[in-house]
Amino acid sequence: MDFLTIIQILDSTIRLATPLLLACLAGLFSERAGIFDIGLEGKMLAAAFFSAATAAITGSVWLGLVAGTLASMVLSALHGLASITFRGNQLISGVAINFLAAGMTVLIAQDWFQQGGRTPSLIGQGRFNAVTLPFADALANVPVLGPIYSELISGHSILVYLAFLCVPATWWLLFRTRFGLRLRAVGENPAAVDTAGISVIGMRYAAVAICGLLCGIAGAYLATALQAGFVKDMTAGRGYIALAALIFAKWRPWHAMFSCLLFGFLQAVALRYQNIHIGDFVIPVQAMDALPYILTVVILAGFVGKAIPPRAGGEPYVKER
């Protein structure tokens, strides 16, 4: 494997890890506040459809991003209404959102575009294009550092850079601000937060709203940057993989980034190599495609060490009178 091939694989890793990272950070905010969210998959799928549909109709990818984000936040509001206000089962609410999004997106896509549940292919201003960083072309021929900067760091869409900037922003917000302290306290001991005069319901709704915002960006990235349009079930389990990465990272932002890069790397290798030869043994492409999902099962089965979620996670808060 030469140096250029390694750069290309790592470049694909970053692109494929971006939606996972955004969804993982979305789940991080929600679960840190005590709201388990299985519905990441459905929110991403709804955002992917409405962003692609709006971009196809208007020709503006930015309007598509706004539409996709709003769709995701509406589903987040439904999840919050069911699990916070009406104190319903959070897991069932999340699963219901996944089913709703899976059926709704295909039905509306067929009604609007008559293309078998797809949207028209996005071109021009209808999708996010690659951003060339300063001096990327000038440094391209510099040994080692040139390809790393011009091929690996430069040349991604703006949402990729936004996703990775969200990692330190999330760390700062959660661990260096009063809002973050209160949000984490709500996930650990909501009664103590309520006693201090802070609205538990308000903090949980804020966390759910941030979750919807990040899921919306993740879904829009899938349909308008990573691909050029919406197709049925295009999230392909990424919401569940993001949850596994979150558990693997033990609800910490920087660890979440590396977890998502690991999943993205496995997907990139599967796309790059159809069959891997190890001596006389051949690993089929199907096995490589299944690796991220196998790792998800391994993580959720608890083989990567004990991961302790927020103590009040999954429990509706009932204010004492």
Side-chain angles (χ1 to χ4, degrees):
M1 184 184 298
D2 58 16
F3 180 68
L4 183 58
T5 301
I6 294 174
I7 292 294
Q8 291 172 346
I9 292 175
L10 293 178
D11 180 72
S12 296
T13 297
I14 292 174
R15 298 176 193 272
L16 294 168
T18 295
L20 298 178
L21 177 58
L22 287 166
C24 188
L25 294 177
L28 175 63
F29 276 101
S30 181
E31 297 197 8
R32 278 284 190 173
I35 304 297
F36 288 162
D37 197 349
I38 303 296
L40 299 178
E41 178 88 359
K43 293 171 189 174
M44 291 172 64
L45 191 60
F49 167 70
F50 282 102
S51 62
T54 303
I57 294 171
T58 64
S60 171
V61 69
W62 292 104
L63 288 177
L65 176 62
V66 171
T69 302
L70 287 177
S72 176
M73 293 187 73
V74 167
L75 292 182
S76 279
L78 287 176
H79 181 57
L81 189 66
S83 59
I84 300 173
T85 301
F86 294 115
R87 298 192 289 273
N89 187 291
Q90 297 173 8
L91 300 182
I92 293 176
S93 173
V95 171
I97 286 175
N98 290 340
F99 282 122
L100 175 64
M104 175 186 66
T105 52
V106 176
L107 182 65
I108 299 177
Q110 179 61 23
D111 181 62
W112 285 2
F113 304 107
Q114 289 84 44
Q115 295 187 12
R118 303 166 60 98
T119 62
S121 296
L122 303 177
I123 57 174
Q125 297 301 314
R127 63 173 306 193
F128 285 102
N129 297 311
V131 176
T132 302
L133 296 180
F135 310 112
D137 295 332
L139 297 174
N141 295 324
V142 176
V144 183
L145 294 179
I148 292 176
Y149 181 70
S150 63
E151 299 291 337
L152 182 59
I153 299 177
S154 178
H156 300 286
S157 74
I158 191 170
L159 295 185
V160 173
Y161 301 110
L162 175 63
F164 282 90
L165 285 175
C166 282
V167 177
T170 297
W171 174 84
W172 176 80
L173 187 62
L174 284 179
F175 298 101
R176 290 294 183 271
T177 67
R178 182 177 298 176
F179 172 81
L181 176 63
R182 291 175 175 177
L183 187 142
R184 288 184 288 120
V186 165
E188 295 292 338
N189 193 341
V193 175
D194 193 18
T195 302
I198 301 167
S199 172
V200 173
I201 292 177
M203 291 301 301
R204 287 188 166 180
Y205 265 111
V208 167
I210 295 173
C211 175
L213 175 65
L214 292 175
C215 278
I217 299 173
Y221 171 81
L222 278 176
T224 61
L226 189 63
Q227 299 184 37
F230 173 83
V231 295
K232 178 183 177 182
D233 296 331
M234 70 180 304
T235 47
R238 285 182 173 89
Y240 302 110
I241 293 176
L243 284 175
L246 180 60
I247 295 171
F248 191 24
K250 299 180 180 178
W251 295 271
R252 292 173 292 184
W254 290 105
H255 296 73
M257 181 184 72
F258 293 115
S259 298
C260 292
L261 286 172
L262 172 61
F263 281 103
F265 176 74
L266 293 177
Q267 292 179 343
V269 170
L271 290 174
R272 178 77 183 186
Y273 296 102
Q274 296 302 303
N275 294 294
I276 295 182
H277 297 265
I278 302 178
D280 295 331
F281 181 73
V282 178
I283 301 177
V285 64
Q286 292 83 0
M288 297 302 299
D289 288 336
L291 271 180
Y293 304 98
I294 294 172
L295 183 58
T296 300
V297 173
V298 169
I299 290 172
L300 295 179
F303 293 116
V304 294
K306 189 175 183 180
I308 302 175
R311 285 186 296 175
E315 299 176 3
Y317 177 67
V318 181
K319 185 180 180 68
E320 296 183 1
R321 298 185 182 278

